[in-house]
Amino acid sequence: MQGSMKTLADWLAHAEHLHPKNIELGLDRVRAVAAKVGLSFECPVITVAGTNGKGSTCAMLESILTHAGYRTAVFTSPHLVRFEERLRLRGETVDGEELSKHFETVERLRGEVALTYFEFTTLAILLCIAENKPDVAILEVGLGGRLDAVNIVDADCAVITSIDLDHMEFLGPDRESIGREKAGILRAGRPAIVSDPMPPQSVVDHANAIGADLWLVGRDFNVAGDKQQWGWSGRGRRYSGLAYPALRGANQLVNAAGVLAALESLRSRLPITAQAVRNGLAMVELPGRFQIVPGEPALVLDVAHNAHAVAALAENLDAMGFYPTTHGVFGVMADKDLEPILARIGPMIDRWYFTDLPTPRAAKADDLLARWQAQNKRTDVAGSVHRSPMEALQAAIDHADPTDRIVVFGSFFTVGGVLEHGTPRLRAKHLSSGS
């Protein structure tokens, strides 16, 4: 079997067929194989769980630590365009060939253990990180926390970002149940940073029950600011006159506050300067998180795919100012709770372009259109269906005036689909008849 595996694409195809289920939560399988491969880390490890804000939190941690001179390794998921994006070493996307040898190790040592795609790929990535001996490793939890493959690593610091309703068939029906799952990444006696300003009580209770060093907004760290700048204060340290993070959107301050708390909690092992904080926040980049691409029309890319993230997207769109028409390209997984998503952003979208996505887990564009029509109360809105995100984007461009904006949002597959050949710079073909 291994002889036929030559490229990363071969290994990924192989990983898709090892386990009958796409998602099967539990640590027994992955822990058994990790023990066989001798997985261990010599550097401090930060894990990040939460419903929204994980990717932004990881990107800010990476940027600040890089500006402080540390060699970073960052594992995030899912990817937008290429699988290799899931691992960045010293700020650079990992090479597919380097990953392939670690896939080979996992395959050789897993024996009869049937790993899911995420477990198989996560083990290979963790092995790759360990071999590269970074100064600090930042690991984003895939789904939940307690039973996610990333949780086989005992983190030196755990961050829980905002918690809301998503993946409820796996994590439970409400914020308290979901919070309990996320809190599974916390460890006794180690920093537990909760950046959600209103965390579920289950998170606080679990942290206290195991004796984690719990950091809460309003108690252990605070933020304050005006339109120009903001400040942060924590246990014995403060930063003032900070520029707002380069990642756009009001929600990013919540994430940045948790990032600074995490770094403060690890100060004895990873000291950083105020200048590294300033530069790191000012220069952080993350595609697909309220990413505005200038052009005619303007293009906004956002992987908001649950009600909480879409509410943040709607607020951010509102703050952008006036656009005659907003075109929405939207595709999402079939398990998402569509009604609150459509209700929240519906008033802002003047023309919808629903798209199919290249995965069996996705909702069909026809179904999205039908469900939108069923709850739509506006008479001045149109909707259409398209086979791919790129086709949907092209249709939006064809209908748009240069002064309009196009918002591509929903699944990573939706945003990734329009980034496949690089970031599009839009030039609308026609002007409205009055100009």
Side-chain angles (χ1 to χ4, degrees):
M1 171 54 97
Q2 279 167 252
S4 64
M5 304 292 167
K6 297 205 167 42
T7 66
L8 180 59
D10 293 337
W11 281 112
L12 294 176
H14 174 62
E16 281 177 352
H17 300 110
L18 289 178
H19 195 281
K21 289 188 181 171
N22 188 36
I23 298 170
E24 172 88 2
L25 293 176
L27 299 183
D28 294 344
R29 296 178 305 278
V30 73
R31 202 172 257 148
V33 181
K36 282 188 186 174
V37 299
L39 179 68
S40 69
F41 291 95
E42 295 168 14
C43 64
V45 176
I46 305 170
T47 50
V48 181
T51 308
N52 297 307
K54 290 181 296 194
S56 301
T57 295
C58 291
M60 288 189 226
L61 282 167
E62 176 187 29
S63 185
I64 293 170
L65 286 162
T66 298
H67 279 91
Y70 294 107
R71 295 169 305 150
T72 57
V74 186
F75 168 36
T76 58
S77 65
H79 56 277
L80 278 170
V81 181
R82 293 166 58 236
F83 182 87
E84 293 94 318
E85 295 166 30
R86 294 188 182 210
L87 176 57
R88 288 193 302 279
L89 298 168
R90 303 188 193 194
E92 299 293 326
T93 302
V94 71
D95 180 71
E97 270 184 43
E98 184 174 355
L99 269 185
S100 293
K101 66 180 186 184
H102 297 290
F103 276 101
E104 202 170 310
T105 303
V106 175
E107 175 65 19
R108 193 175 68 247
L109 294 175
R110 74 179 176 86
E112 297 300 307
V113 181
L115 298 169
T116 66
Y117 177 87
F118 185 73
E119 290 168 345
F120 192 92
T121 55
T122 295
L123 277 172
I125 286 170
L126 293 177
L127 277 178
C128 189
I129 292 174
E131 187 185 75
N132 275 275
K133 299 195 179 342
D135 297 321
V136 54
I138 301 159
L139 311 177
E140 180 188 333
V141 171
L143 197 159
R146 183 174 66 91
L147 298 175
D148 186 85
V150 170
N151 200 33
I152 60 168
V153 180
D154 287 323
D156 298 275
C157 172
V159 181
I160 296 179
T161 64
S162 64
I163 295 173
D164 214 78
L165 305 180
D166 204 357
H167 302 295
M168 287 142 77
E169 70 279 28
F170 296 106
L171 305 179
D174 50 39
R175 282 184 85 232
E176 291 298 330
S177 316
I178 292 170
R180 205 168 290 117
E181 291 298 318
K182 308 284 185 198
I185 68 165
L186 308 182
R187 294 296 188 268
R190 296 186 181 180
I193 315 298
V194 181
S195 49
D196 190 323
M198 297 178 68
Q201 189 60 38
S202 57
V203 174
V204 177
D205 290 347
H206 182 73
N208 290 333
I210 66 168
D213 176 19
L214 181 62
W215 291 55
L216 293 174
V217 183
R219 187 188 78 179
D220 302 278
F221 60 102
N222 289 284
V223 290
D226 55 33
K227 284 192 170 152
Q228 271 71 47
Q229 57 187 29
W230 69 288
W232 180 94
S233 57
R235 299 180 187 171
R237 186 164 191 176
R238 60 179 56 237
Y239 298 101
S240 56
L242 294 171
Y244 280 88
L247 301 180
R248 292 181 174 91
N251 44 315
Q252 294 301 354
L253 209 53
V254 171
N255 298 327
V259 163
L260 295 186
L263 294 170
E264 176 62 15
S265 77
L266 292 172
R267 182 161 50 157
S268 62
R269 296 180 68 185
L270 294 166
I272 54 165
T273 62
Q275 196 55 41
V277 169
R278 289 176 197 286
N279 292 344
L281 290 175
M283 297 170 81
V284 61
E285 290 179 358
L286 187 61
R289 275 42 166 223
F290 197 57
Q291 179 185 357
I292 300 175
V293 184
E296 298 181 342
L299 176 64
V300 180
L301 306 172
D302 200 309
V303 291
H305 55 261
N306 56 52
H308 188 251
V310 168
L313 169 61
E315 276 176 42
N316 292 335
L317 289 173
D318 205 30
M320 280 178 74
F322 175 73
Y323 291 83
T325 303
T326 297
H327 305 258
V329 172
F330 180 61
V332 78
M333 296 298 120
D335 64 348
K336 300 302 168 196
D337 191 4
L338 261 190
E339 276 61 36
I341 290 175
L342 295 172
R344 183 66 183 85
I345 204 162
M348 296 189 156
I349 306 285
D350 305 303
R351 189 177 176 109
W352 287 90
Y353 307 81
F354 298 105
T355 177
D356 287 327
L357 298 174
T359 167
R361 293 171 49 224
K364 294 272 178 276
D366 290 324
D367 295 342
L368 292 175
L369 176 68
R371 291 180 67 180
W372 167 72
Q373 285 169 332
Q375 57 83 63
N376 174 49
K377 295 180 176 63
R378 287 176 60 184
T379 54
D380 59 339
V381 199
S384 53
V385 297
H386 305 274
R387 285 187 306 246
S388 72
M390 210 62 204
E391 194 181 287
L393 176 62
Q394 190 54 56
I397 295 167
D398 292 343
H399 284 102
D401 282 346
T403 52
D404 291 348
R405 68 178 165 188
I406 299 173
V407 183
V408 179
F409 73 107
S411 163
F412 275 74
F413 285 101
T414 310
V415 176
V418 304
L419 290 173
E420 225 162 304
H421 307 292
T423 308
R425 300 273 167 184
L426 305 190
R427 290 284 171 268
K429 292 188 180 64
H430 62 283
L431 295 160
S432 54
S433 51
S435 53

